[in-house]
Amino acid sequence: MSTINLGTRQLFLMKRENLSKKFNSFLENSDDASYVIQCAVAVLVRNSFTPSDFSNFEKDLIRDLFLTSDKVKSARKYCVYFRNYFSEDEWQTVVNRLFDSEEEFSQTTERTRLHIEKLLPILHSGGWEAPIKRSLVTVFKDETGKKHGWTLSNVDRKYSTQENCDLLAILSTLTIFEKNGVRRFAELVKNSFATIDIDYNSENEEEKIEVWTEQPKSAADKTEIHNPEEANLPRSSKDTHPAKHVDSVKEEKKLEAVNETAATSIPKNEKKRQRKRPEDHQKKLYAKNPFHKQEETKKLTQPKKKKKRKKKRK
């Protein structure tokens, strides 16, 4: 692998000119055409959300890789994302180079083609003026099922919730993003746009969203995202807050118990006040209430009666 880094930070944060240089430097050092093609797909996803113009990014480079490079075969299923980069004759050349037959091409790319058919105009759209800059806040699962958050800043919300989820689901087909050898972005869990307030949340029950995956799910798995209450996702409160770890929930319960005890217990200062006061202070209190004074006087003057003990019968 090349020493020139080309990961999420570069693909989603760098400006177009600098990112273009990074693409070419990476390819010169690594000659990993498959990796570059997947990076180009990630840039298409970025282009759909950002007002900056990343359309036709590295078009000549991508055309050259699909038309001439033999190392791009491992990324051949992604060729359909760049169909509009080629003329009819050139496209037929690409298909013939990468696939043994038209039937193999259809079978290999069928699900992807159906998924991106309506998304292609969005993926290849140009720049625009955004009235409000937002942050796209997402949660994905990695290939081990562990959740992790990912945020894309300086974006705009132009499309429907379903379209936004479909665009983000494209990242789940890419294998280039890893951490400690574990592939990230394996499955989209949820996403939302945010300024100061939350714009929308894909888990909103009123908006039934189907999250697309490259491999079709079984019937039992299809309802996982539709209803957040039925999903096995631990939450501190339904629909509005992210999942909390079981340990944090236990800590919250302990804290609530301590607060309840503190609310009902007598403070130390109050306990000191309730201790027996000196005799002169007692007299002042009883002076205000003569009945208490008389009762107290009787108690002090009258001798205590000794209790008679009963003799035990032998």
Side-chain angles (χ1 to χ4, degrees), residues 34-35 38-39 74-75 77-78 143 170-179 181-185 214:
S34 175
Y35 190 98
Q38 291 197 54
C39 288
S74 58
K77 66 180 179 181
Y78 299 108
E143 62 183 346
I170 293 172
L171 297 179
S172 67
T173 68
L174 305 179
T175 60
I176 57 176
F177 304 120
E178 292 186 351
K179 185 176 181 181
V182 178
R183 183 168 70 88
R184 296 166 73 78
F185 303 109
E214 191 173 17

Side-chain angles (χ1 to χ4, degrees), residues 4 6 14 19 25 35 41 46 62 66 73-74 107 130 139 172 187 196-197 200 213 243 245 259 287:
I4 305 296
L6 190 58
M14 293 185 74
L19 185 58
S25 298
Y35 190 98
V41 174
R46 178 184 178 181
I62 293 167
F66 278 120
K73 275 199 169 185
S74 58
Q107 291 178 350
V139 176
S172 67
E187 182 182 348
I196 296 175
D197 301 317
Y200 86 92
T213 56
H245 196 273
N259 291 337

Side-chain angles (χ1 to χ4, degrees), residues 4-260:
I4 305 296
N5 189 20
L6 190 58
T8 53
R9 291 183 61 84
Q10 291 73 30
L11 293 173
F12 295 104
L13 295 178
M14 293 185 74
K15 292 183 178 180
R16 178 168 183 148
E17 184 179 353
N18 294 331
L19 185 58
S20 178
K21 294 177 182 178
K22 184 72 83 171
F23 261 66
N24 288 278
S25 298
F26 181 89
L27 192 59
E28 288 175 5
N29 285 271
S30 70
D31 199 27
D32 192 343
S34 175
Y35 190 98
V36 169
I37 292 299
Q38 291 197 54
C39 288
V41 174
V43 173
L44 290 180
V45 176
R46 178 184 178 181
N47 182 62
S48 63
F49 289 111
T50 180
S52 301
D53 187 2
F54 282 87
S55 59
N56 295 320
F57 181 77
E58 290 300 308
K59 180 178 178 179
D60 293 337
L61 174 64
I62 293 167
R63 280 171 45 82
D64 183 61
L65 290 176
F66 278 120
L67 287 169
T68 63
S69 176
D70 292 330
K71 296 184 178 180
V72 81
K73 275 199 169 185
S74 58
R76 61 182 184 170
K77 66 180 179 181
Y78 299 108
C79 66
V80 292
Y81 286 95
F82 308 99
R83 169 65 182 85
N84 62 339
Y85 286 6
F86 306 92
S87 65
E88 289 293 335
D89 293 338
E90 290 173 335
W91 179 246
Q92 192 59 51
T93 301
V94 170
V95 173
N96 293 339
R97 286 189 72 252
L98 301 180
F99 302 92
D100 295 334
S101 63
E102 286 285 345
E103 184 180 358
E104 185 187 20
F105 165 74
S106 298
Q107 291 178 350
T108 304
T109 63
E110 181 180 10
R111 279 187 60 79
T112 302
R113 283 187 289 109
L114 291 174
H115 178 68
I116 68 172
E117 183 178 5
K118 295 180 180 180
L119 300 177
L120 283 174
I122 301 174
L123 290 167
H124 293 278
S125 61
W128 67 89
E129 290 294 328
I132 301 175
K133 291 288 183 70
R134 294 177 168 85
S135 293
L136 176 57
V137 184
T138 70
V139 176
F140 281 85
K141 287 181 182 179
D142 62 20
E143 62 183 346
T144 65
K146 185 178 179 180
K147 294 179 185 177
H148 64 91
W150 177 68
T151 301
L152 181 60
S153 302
N154 298 321
V155 300
D156 187 24
R157 182 190 175 191
K158 290 182 63 178
Y159 314 109
S160 70
T161 305
Q162 181 65 63
E163 287 172 331
N164 292 325
C165 290
D166 288 343
L167 289 166
L168 288 169
I170 293 172
L171 297 179
S172 67
T173 68
L174 305 179
T175 60
I176 57 176
F177 304 120
E178 292 186 351
K179 185 176 181 181
N180 299 326
V182 178
R183 183 168 70 88
R184 296 166 73 78
F185 303 109
E187 182 182 348
L188 176 65
V189 178
K190 61 182 179 180
N191 67 92
S192 64
F193 283 88
T195 50
I196 296 175
D197 301 317
I198 292 178
D199 189 318
Y200 86 92
N201 193 318
S202 64
E203 287 192 317
N204 189 338
E205 288 187 33
E206 295 178 0
E207 301 180 26
K208 300 301 180 183
I209 303 302
E210 295 183 3
V211 177
W212 179 85
T213 56
E214 191 173 17
Q215 298 298 327
K217 288 187 174 184
S218 63
D221 295 333
K222 286 183 179 179
T223 58
E224 181 181 354
I225 274 300
H226 293 187
N227 191 339
E229 292 186 3
E230 295 177 359
N232 296 321
L233 303 179
R235 288 187 179 86
S236 57
S237 68
K238 294 178 182 178
D239 302 329
T240 56
H241 298 289
K244 290 187 178 180
H245 196 273
V246 177
D247 292 340
S248 64
V249 176
K250 290 181 180 178
E251 290 296 327
E252 283 187 1
K253 289 183 178 179
K254 288 181 181 179
L255 184 59
E256 289 176 3
V258 171
N259 291 337
E260 289 177 3

